[in-house]
Amino acid sequence: MIVYALITLIVSILNTKFVKLRPFLSGKTLILYDDGTLFKENFKKAKIDLNEFLVQCRTNGFFNLSDIKTALLEENGKISFLPYSDKRPANPSDFNIKPKEEEILTNLILDGKIMQENLQELGFDEAWLLKKLKKQGITKTNNIFLATYCSDGNLSVYLSGNVQNN
């Protein structure tokens, strides 16, 4: 383990100090697909078969290769996709909309257990929480899988459910 740790440390230092060694130590970015062309040699270098590539496309939301302009295999082993501009998801700036900033949610109940510390950080107590739950028609916390609180005052409750088989 010590030898492995030392080798990892040395490779990390070399990777940081010597930019020209990076392609040898960490690998380099490979173009797998660009503008309708699949680069078979880069697939071989990356040891990725076409089926795995197509799975990665689908899991990233691209069910049709014609929606993708470029796909790159990054140094960390993940595939990055650049869609054609008319195929990328719309975002608010496309419509000159400035949405309200998202807030971080605070977990108040996890798997039926009230998170007392989180309640206290928000300045609330268990009585407040039980009152909010009662307004939603919930009287017991033991069947709540997750309850979250947003700074806008919204309490979201997700109940435990039974497994459904299709």
Side-chain angles (χ1 to χ4, degrees), residues 29 35 43-44 51 65 73 83 87 98 103 106 117 127 134:
T29 301
D35 230 0
F43 275 85
K44 285 181 183 177
N51 284 328
L65 284 179
L73 178 66
K87 300 294 183 180
K98 179 81 170 122
E103 299 287 332
T106 304
E117 190 174 306
K134 193 171 186 178

Side-chain angles (χ1 to χ4, degrees), residues 2-144:
I2 294 171
V3 172
Y4 177 74
L6 286 173
I7 290 172
T8 303
L9 181 64
I10 291 168
V11 169
S12 176
I13 291 169
L14 291 173
N15 212 4
T16 305
K17 299 260 185 205
F18 302 101
V19 177
K20 292 188 182 212
L21 286 177
R22 282 185 193 161
F24 302 107
L25 298 173
S26 299
K28 60 181 181 176
T29 301
L30 294 174
I31 299 173
L32 299 176
Y33 177 83
D34 189 47
D35 230 0
T37 303
L38 289 161
F39 294 96
K40 193 173 184 179
E41 287 301 313
N42 287 347
F43 275 85
K44 285 181 183 177
K45 285 180 191 175
K47 295 178 179 66
I48 294 177
D49 70 352
L50 187 56
N51 284 328
E52 176 61 24
F53 175 71
L54 294 173
V55 167
Q56 290 298 318
C57 290
R58 289 190 299 272
T59 58
N60 282 282
F62 299 104
F63 289 82
N64 190 337
L65 284 179
S66 63
D67 293 345
I68 302 169
K69 179 169 180 21
T70 306
L72 305 169
L73 178 66
E74 302 292 352
E75 295 172 11
N76 66 358
K78 296 190 185 226
I79 300 175
S80 297
F81 297 94
L82 175 65
Y84 284 103
S85 59
D86 63 334
K87 300 294 183 180
R88 69 174 170 76
N91 63 52
S93 65
D94 292 336
F95 304 103
N96 293 322
I97 297 172
K98 179 81 170 122
K100 186 178 94 171
E101 289 295 324
E102 293 286 329
E103 299 287 332
I104 294 178
L105 298 176
T106 304
N107 296 332
L108 297 182
I109 299 176
L110 290 174
D111 202 14
K113 294 180 178 53
I114 297 174
M115 311 302 291
Q116 296 293 342
E117 190 174 306
N118 291 353
L119 268 173
Q120 289 173 352
E121 281 184 30
L122 292 171
F124 301 128
D125 60 10
E126 194 170 327
W128 171 88
L129 178 60
L130 295 174
K131 183 179 172 185
K132 291 286 259 185
L133 290 171
K134 193 171 186 178
K135 282 184 182 178
Q136 293 188 25
I138 301 168
T139 56
K140 294 182 181 179
T141 60
N142 61 346
N143 64 341
I144 297 174

